[in-house]
Amino acid sequence: MIRVYILVIILLTSLFVSCQRGKPVPVARSFDQYLFPEDLQGVVPNGVTGDDSIQLVRAYIEQWTRQQALLHHAQRNVSMNTERLQRQVEEYQNGLIVYEYEQALINQKLDTLVSDEEISAYYDSREELFTLKQPILKTSYIRLKRDAPELDRVKRLFQSTDFEEQDLLEKYCAMYASQYALHDTAWYYVNDLIRKFPIAKINEDDYGKTGRIFEIIENNELYLIILQDSKFRDTRSPLSLVQNNIRNLILNKRKIDLIDQMQRRIMDDAREKNNIEIYN
């Protein structure tokens, strides 16, 4: 807190001295460029206090001095075509203005509701886009210590479809398992499953052996794994796995169409009112 007060006092003192002398007093200089207290407005977001606010101000000042120093040396050592540079700045500025207008149009006009029927139609009409590049699996697994009790009984319960026995297994896992997933019906890419359990120790040729228990020992822990379902690479991805991707593709297409319609409308209106002319 003392450092916060010091920083505040420095800034207030700078402002006070500025008022007294009739000219601003800088808080930093880099070559012939100066940073003033008013330039720091907005650097610290509302609600940020203490050491965090000090670090933000210091980081901003450090970044500013570095950028000004680099700019100074660049200006002295690079021969610039001023007209070309100004043209690039104008093009960049114009691009930003148009981009902001397009984003405002999208926020106001874009229909973001994508129905299941639209997703299904897109999926059916573009089969080539949804070919699997790696296998996907539905799995159940239990991670236990190698000396966990009643392992033979656990394996039997694990393969059972009886509701009461599944309930018993759930209670057992809650007591003894460090990780488990018994009723997960989602599809996962094999590369994503590696973070959950050592799936790499199951041969890809065995992915079709659904319903059996694979036992893997790693780091003195026992993994019991059942592959509930599988799909191999170069086969069609299930809709449930790519549903969100399709929704994003549809929305992106709508954005492109909306912007294209806006541009056409503006150009047609400009031509109709003779606001555009091309001279030969």
Side-chain angles (χ1 to χ4, degrees):
M1 286 302 294
I2 292 175
R3 284 183 293 176
V4 177
Y5 293 142
I6 292 173
L7 180 64
V8 172
I9 290 170
I10 291 172
L11 292 176
L12 290 176
T13 301
S14 297
L15 290 172
F16 176 76
V17 172
S18 299
C19 295
Q20 291 293 99
R21 296 179 179 177
K23 60 180 181 179
V25 175
V27 295
R29 180 182 68 83
S30 184
F31 291 90
D32 58 349
Q33 298 298 313
Y34 293 86
L35 184 70
F36 296 96
E38 57 266 28
D39 297 325
L40 299 176
Q41 292 180 4
V43 171
V44 180
N46 293 333
V48 177
T49 59
D51 286 345
D52 291 338
S53 64
I54 294 175
Q55 293 302 322
L56 285 173
V57 171
R58 285 178 175 169
Y60 181 85
I61 294 173
E62 175 64 25
Q63 188 273 339
W64 180 87
T65 55
R66 183 187 299 113
Q67 184 174 6
Q68 295 302 321
L70 291 172
L71 181 61
H72 175 83
H73 282 277
Q75 289 171 336
R76 293 186 63 185
N77 292 282
V78 176
S79 177
M80 296 295 297
N81 183 320
T82 306
E83 291 184 3
R84 181 172 63 86
L85 179 62
Q86 183 60 35
R87 201 161 51 242
Q88 290 176 331
V89 170
E90 290 177 0
E91 289 174 358
Y92 180 69
Q93 182 182 28
N94 293 340
L96 284 178
I97 294 171
V98 171
Y99 174 80
E100 289 297 325
Y101 174 68
E102 290 174 348
Q103 295 308 302
L105 180 70
I106 288 170
N107 292 335
Q108 293 173 10
K109 302 292 186 180
L110 182 67
D111 179 9
T112 58
L113 181 63
V114 181
S115 68
D116 292 340
E117 290 76 14
E118 287 178 280
I119 292 173
S120 296
Y122 192 101
Y123 175 77
D124 292 335
S125 64
R126 294 167 175 80
E127 183 173 344
E128 72 282 358
L129 295 180
F130 307 112
T131 300
L132 291 169
K133 300 299 187 293
Q134 62 172 295
I136 58 173
L137 302 170
K138 288 183 180 181
T139 64
S140 299
Y141 73 97
I142 306 172
R143 179 180 175 185
L144 298 162
K145 292 294 184 183
R146 290 184 64 180
D147 58 355
E150 302 184 88
L151 287 178
D152 289 337
R153 178 168 173 262
V154 170
K155 295 173 190 177
R156 181 181 62 79
L157 294 176
F158 197 19
Q159 290 183 300
S160 174
T161 58
D162 181 77
F163 177 79
E164 291 184 359
E165 291 191 330
Q166 288 183 356
D167 185 59
L168 288 174
L169 180 61
E170 185 84 36
K171 292 176 180 176
Y172 176 92
C173 289
M175 184 175 297
Y176 295 107
S178 56
Q179 271 184 306
Y180 65 98
L182 305 178
H183 310 294
D184 191 350
T185 60
W187 288 102
Y188 293 96
Y189 292 106
V190 170
N191 288 347
D192 294 332
L193 289 173
I194 290 174
R195 293 191 289 268
K196 294 186 176 184
F197 50 80
I199 188 69
K201 291 190 176 182
I202 299 178
N203 193 295
E204 188 172 330
D205 293 336
D206 291 329
Y207 288 168
K209 297 178 181 178
T210 57
R212 61 161 282 189
I213 295 180
F214 291 88
E215 298 182 38
I216 299 174
I217 295 176
E218 185 174 83
N219 298 328
N220 204 36
E221 290 186 307
L222 172 65
Y223 294 83
L224 302 178
I225 303 165
I226 293 180
L227 307 182
Q228 304 292 1
D229 201 355
S230 61
K231 287 186 178 293
F232 291 84
R233 68 181 77 237
D234 298 324
T235 61
R236 195 181 188 194
S237 174
L239 176 58
S240 60
L241 186 65
V242 295
Q243 192 167 12
N244 287 335
N245 288 342
I246 293 175
R247 179 177 286 104
N248 290 333
L249 288 170
I250 292 173
L251 288 175
N252 189 59
K253 177 65 165 54
R254 288 182 185 176
K255 290 178 184 178
I256 293 172
D257 290 344
L258 183 63
I259 291 172
D260 183 64
Q261 291 169 12
M262 175 269 292
Q263 292 176 350
R264 289 176 182 272
R265 187 173 61 252
I266 289 175
M267 291 298 293
D268 290 343
D269 182 70
R271 289 191 180 100
E272 183 180 340
K273 295 178 179 178
N274 292 323
N275 289 320
I276 292 178
E277 292 183 277
I278 298 176
Y279 304 108
N280 294 326

